[in-house]
Amino acid sequence: MIKQIAIFLENKEGKASGCCKVLKDAGVNLCALSIADTKDFGILRIITDDNEKALNALKNAGYLATEVELVGVEVPDTAGALSELLIELGDGGVNVEYMYSYAEVDGHANIAFKTSAVEKAVKILTDNGAKLL
């Protein structure tokens, strides 16, 4: 399982940079980042090297932040590899709410995804030989 921090931000200039500055000043390294937006607000999703320190710094700076567990899986860097994995999950009744890749190492991508069916997802992935992170 991968621990991710979700931060709710107003969709205005400087909000993402201000949040990242808080993390920088706290000495927290960002390993991955994703932003989803709507007209009025955004959700900044991050994976860090120290979530406890990140959450404390963000909350002390007035940000609304929460930790979320994601399933992490290594996907080969070949055409169709992610598709095959998602088909297996879908066929097994697992809904992927959102996902993003956060690193490429040695010919594979690391994918993090959110699902409400964590145990089922992990079983499907391991039954199909996927390497969990």
Side-chain angles (χ1 to χ4, degrees):
M1 300 303 297
I2 296 171
K3 304 283 186 171
Q4 167 199 267
I5 298 173
I7 307 130
F8 296 92
L9 301 172
E10 286 183 271
N11 194 357
K12 293 184 178 177
E13 292 178 10
K15 296 297 181 179
S17 63
C19 179
C20 288
K21 184 174 183 333
V22 167
L23 296 169
K24 174 188 158 212
D25 291 347
V28 175
N29 187 37
L30 295 175
C31 304
L33 173 139
S34 171
I35 298 178
D37 72 325
T38 66
K39 182 180 177 192
D40 297 322
F41 72 95
I43 302 173
L44 175 64
R45 295 180 173 112
I46 59 173
I47 298 170
T48 76
D49 67 343
D50 189 335
N51 279 3
E52 185 177 344
K53 188 190 293 185
L55 281 168
N56 287 333
L58 290 165
K59 289 181 179 181
N60 288 337
Y63 289 94
L64 179 57
T66 186
E67 191 171 61
V68 178
E69 281 194 337
L70 303 180
V71 176
V73 63
E74 185 178 286
V75 179
D77 187 14
T78 59
L82 180 59
S83 174
E84 290 174 15
L85 182 126
L86 292 173
I87 289 167
E88 292 294 333
L89 290 170
D91 288 350
V94 173
N95 178 44
V96 174
E97 297 171 29
Y98 63 82
M99 72 176 166
Y100 54 96
S101 68
Y102 66 95
E104 182 198 348
V105 181
D106 299 327
H108 66 267
N110 293 331
I111 305 290
F113 69 90
K114 172 80 167 83
T115 181
S116 59
V118 172
E119 290 177 17
K120 188 186 276 189
V122 168
K123 180 170 179 9
I124 290 167
L125 293 169
T126 54
D127 286 352
N128 285 282
K131 181 179 177 186
L132 298 177
L133 303 173

